[in-house]
Amino acid sequence: MNPPILERDPSDPQKEKKEGVNPVLKLVLELGPLLVFFFANARGEWLVQKFPVLGEFGGPIFVATGLFMAATAIALIASWLLTRTLPIMPMVSGVVVFIFGALTLYLQDDIFIKMKPTIVNTLFGGVLLGGLLFGRSLLGYVFDSAFRLDAEGWRKLTFRWGLFFLFLAIVNEVVWRNFSTDAWVTFKVWGIMPITLLFTFSQMPLILRHSLDDKAGGEEKAGK
């Protein structure tokens, strides 16, 4: 059984609100917490000198973890206020940040925050690939407002993203287990994003081949 192509009513006020969000603001909400994490880890000692209360967290990585959690909460709240919805992927990622961040601070063990990307990416990859086993292309429920693809297109794109999430999980394990904390933080912020962007752009030929909008346009021209 193929998943339905999800379409929203053009008059839906939620859609209008989503489309009205400034792209730059959306990017800030998505990348802001990561940049806070990177800056706080790099300048943790300076931050503690300026704001002694932050010293209660511990060393730089723990200061960064606390501020990362706060920035993530602010980003999710801002997203809700702007769109009245919480995208599933940022929401799940945020929940894992809060759980593993709290364990990191409580136990004073940075292994938990380092494992957070592994857990999140394995979860996303497992859900996407598991959904395919039951004939459900679940990626369509995430990207339906961005793309309109046929059933085969959603299946292929879901499979590729599922594998890509598992790849990111493996890469995170390799980096945090074999390199310093500073190297891991730098890679998390400045390495994962370019890799993800390259992968996303590499999927455009598939998206264009299976786009329903392109097919509809071609059929309309043929009819004339």
Side-chain angles (χ1 to χ4, degrees):
M1 179 178 178
N2 295 328
I5 298 296
L6 301 181
E7 299 181 70
R8 289 190 176 93
D9 187 342
S11 63
D12 185 351
Q14 297 292 342
K15 180 177 179 181
E16 292 177 2
K17 208 162 192 178
K18 285 182 185 178
E19 293 178 343
V21 177
N22 187 293
V24 175
L25 178 57
K26 183 178 179 182
L27 184 64
V28 169
L29 292 175
E30 293 177 353
L31 297 184
L34 281 176
L35 294 178
V36 168
F37 186 61
F38 175 79
F39 175 79
N41 182 73
R43 302 298 301 276
E45 295 180 359
W46 177 83
L47 286 171
V48 170
Q49 291 177 356
K50 292 294 183 180
F51 308 97
V53 67
L54 294 177
E56 297 296 324
F57 287 127
I61 186 63
F62 301 108
V63 171
T65 297
L67 295 181
F68 184 38
M69 294 169 66
T72 298
I74 291 172
L76 289 174
I77 292 171
S79 179
W80 168 259
L81 293 175
L82 290 169
T83 67
R84 294 299 173 184
T85 62
L86 285 178
I88 185 65
M89 295 175 74
M91 182 175 66
V92 171
S93 181
V95 169
V96 177
V97 165
F98 299 141
I99 294 174
F100 280 74
L103 288 172
T104 296
L105 297 178
Y106 181 73
L107 299 175
Q108 287 291 288
D109 189 344
D110 61 10
I111 189 175
F112 294 103
I113 198 65
K114 289 178 178 178
M115 289 184 63
K116 173 261 173 183
T118 301
I119 300 298
V120 170
N121 287 315
T122 300
L123 178 62
F124 287 152
V127 168
L128 291 180
L129 296 177
L132 289 177
L133 294 177
F134 294 94
R136 308 294 292 181
S137 301
L138 299 178
L139 199 67
Y141 294 91
V142 179
F143 288 156
D144 69 289
S145 61
F147 310 115
R148 293 184 67 250
L149 307 181
D150 58 29
E152 182 182 1
W154 281 127
R155 281 195 298 272
K156 290 181 178 179
L157 197 61
T158 297
F159 179 71
R160 293 182 182 184
W161 270 100
L163 293 181
F164 180 68
F165 279 126
L166 294 183
F167 164 76
L168 291 180
I170 294 172
V171 169
N172 183 69
E173 284 294 294
V174 170
V175 173
W176 83 259
R177 291 180 183 275
N178 294 281
F179 297 90
S180 68
T181 295
D182 288 345
W184 171 76
V185 172
T186 299
F187 179 76
K188 174 179 170 62
V189 177
W190 305 111
I192 294 298
M193 182 56 65
I195 291 173
T196 302
L197 288 176
L198 284 174
F199 174 79
T200 302
F201 288 134
S202 72
Q203 303 311 302
M204 291 309 297
L206 182 148
I207 291 172
L208 293 175
R209 283 198 305 271
H210 295 277
S211 173
L212 292 178
D213 292 332
D214 288 348
K215 291 180 179 180
E219 291 174 359
E220 184 178 343
K221 289 180 180 179
K224 292 180 180 180

